Amino acid sequence: MIEKILSLISHWAERQSGIDDIEVQNINQDVVPEWHRAINWITFYEDNWDHITTDT
C-alpha cells in the first residue's frame, strides 16, 4: 500500500509542477505516470486490465 501512496504523491507533484511551471527535483516526469499505471494495474484498480487509468 505504501507504493500506491508514493505513486499518488509523485504523480500529483509532477502534475502540479506543470501547472505552477516549476521543475521538481529528482522526479522523472516521463516515468511517474507509467509507475502510477503499473501500481494501479497490480492492485486491480479497475476491472478492465487493458484500460487502467491514473486518476489522482
Side-chain angles (χ1 to χ4, degrees):
M1 186 56 130
I2 196 100
E3 292 87 1
K4 179 70 174 172
I5 294 167
L6 289 174
S7 171
L8 288 171
I9 291 169
S10 297
H11 204 180
W12 170 83
E14 183 264 329
R15 286 186 177 180
Q16 191 65 38
S17 71
I19 293 169
D20 295 340
D21 198 28
I22 59 172
E23 183 177 335
V24 178
Q25 299 281 327
N26 301 322
I27 293 182
N28 185 327
Q29 295 184 356
D30 296 326
V31 173
V32 170
E34 294 303 318
W35 199 51
H36 188 176
R37 186 172 284 109
I39 295 294
N40 284 354
W41 187 81
I42 289 169
T43 59
F44 303 107
Y45 179 72
E46 293 186 19
D47 292 333
N48 185 349
W49 286 42
D50 294 328
H51 181 69
I52 300 293
T53 62
T54 57
D55 12 336
T56 55

